[in-house]
Amino acid sequence: MTTDSARQSTSGELLRLWTKQLIRAEFHGTKAGVAWIFVQPLLMALVFTVAFSAFARVSSNGEPYALSFLAGYVPWTFFVEVVNKSSRSVISNANLMSHFSFRRHLVVLSIILSKLVDLTVGIVVIFGLMLWYGQTPSWRIVFVVPVLGGFALLAAGVGLFLATATAKYRDISNLLQPAIRSLFYLSPIIYPIETIPDQYLDGYLLNPIAAFTVGIRDSIFRDELRYPGSLALAFATSIVVFGIGLAFFSHHEADFSDIR
């Protein structure tokens, strides 16, 4: 076996090991165990349905509010979890990085893969709830796969960038949560895109999270993607963000061994 082949084999084993550990750690100590991954999105759907549909009377544009909410909340949760955990990944593994030689991006990649499990289960919950409401998605549901892929690429790019930036500048972590909260309300997660006035819509959809969220809802509930131009721009933004994040991470990767 060549040196490159051995390195790839070792990297693959490390990636599988870390991904499994992250998945197991998520359910360690919870009585519900693996079932929690199914229960959690349903509980959140119940809470937000009562709060925003029953009390605040937030429209869901004809769809059951629980379905509309989950279609936005499940991908959003994936994005936030990847960004939060990735931003702390280099610092959390500083001791490992200072003593062992391995490809550092595997730490972030294992986080993304572990959260893809949650994302997949969340989508299954949405489909199950659709059957509960007597709805059948059209063949255009296949579009949800590339749209989610673009969303995942965006999360990976932001995660790689923040993993590096937080390791170098610890104060960034203090700004992260306010930024995430702002993005939550600036994206159509608890409300439909129809609530945005037409004169602000083009600017609003420059937010790639908003464009991806609408694209996901359209793929699940509609027969067309209503804003293909905005969705294409969101994909382009994801590619650029991922490229910047990966380049920034790779450029400073050698410095991670000195982090304390």
Side-chain angles (χ1 to χ4, degrees):
M1 182 180 291
T2 65
T3 303
D4 290 339
S5 298
R7 186 180 294 114
Q8 289 176 0
S9 177
T10 303
S11 297
E13 289 298 323
L14 282 173
L15 182 60
R16 283 191 291 272
L17 176 63
W18 287 337
T19 302
K20 287 180 180 179
Q21 285 180 337
L22 287 171
I23 294 173
R24 289 171 180 168
E26 186 170 355
F27 307 112
H28 180 70
T30 62
K31 293 184 178 180
V34 177
W36 179 246
I37 199 173
F38 291 92
V39 173
Q40 186 179 25
L42 290 174
L43 285 177
M44 293 305 299
L46 176 62
V47 170
F48 277 87
T49 297
V50 172
F52 289 94
S53 180
F55 295 156
R57 303 292 182 183
V58 174
S59 170
S60 57
N61 199 37
E63 296 294 336
Y65 185 85
L67 275 176
S68 178
F69 168 75
L70 279 178
Y73 177 77
V74 167
W76 166 258
T77 301
F78 166 80
F79 177 85
V80 171
E81 287 291 309
V82 168
V83 169
N84 276 334
K85 291 182 180 298
S86 296
S87 69
R88 301 188 298 267
S89 62
V90 173
I91 296 174
S92 300
N93 292 279
N95 188 53
L96 187 66
M97 292 182 178
S98 63
H99 289 87
F100 299 97
S101 176
F102 60 92
R103 293 177 176 176
R104 306 316 197 216
H105 69 275
L106 293 177
V107 174
V108 177
L109 184 55
S110 65
I111 292 171
I112 296 168
L113 291 178
S114 68
K115 290 303 163 185
L116 279 174
V117 175
D118 292 12
L119 177 62
T120 302
V121 171
I123 297 299
V124 171
V125 170
I126 293 173
F127 290 159
L129 205 56
M130 288 184 73
L131 295 176
W132 173 266
Y133 281 109
Q135 295 190 6
T136 304
S138 73
W139 65 269
R140 291 176 177 81
I141 191 67
V142 297
F143 289 133
V144 80
V145 176
V147 176
L148 285 173
F151 207 172
L153 191 66
L154 178 66
V158 175
L160 285 165
F161 182 86
L162 287 176
T164 311
T166 305
K168 293 177 67 64
Y169 311 104
R170 303 298 174 89
D171 290 344
I172 288 178
S173 59
N174 298 326
L175 303 175
L176 183 56
Q177 295 312 310
I180 287 176
R181 283 195 294 270
S182 298
L183 276 175
F184 178 80
Y185 292 109
L186 289 172
S187 304
I189 298 166
I190 59 175
Y191 55 85
I193 190 67
E194 287 77 13
T195 60
I196 305 300
D198 290 342
Q199 63 267 33
Y200 302 122
L201 190 58
D202 289 341
Y204 180 86
L205 287 172
L206 290 176
N207 170 10
I209 296 176
F212 281 131
T213 302
V214 175
I216 291 165
R217 282 200 177 114
D218 286 352
S219 299
I220 296 174
F221 303 123
R222 292 179 173 269
D223 292 331
E224 62 176 347
L225 297 173
R226 289 173 292 172
Y227 307 102
S230 297
L231 196 56
L233 181 60
F235 273 106
T237 301
S238 294
I239 293 171
V240 171
V241 169
F242 179 77
I244 292 173
L246 183 60
F248 189 49
F249 187 93
S250 299
H251 180 72
H252 293 282
E253 187 174 358
D255 301 332
F256 295 161
S257 300
D258 299 326
I259 293 173
R260 296 290 185 271

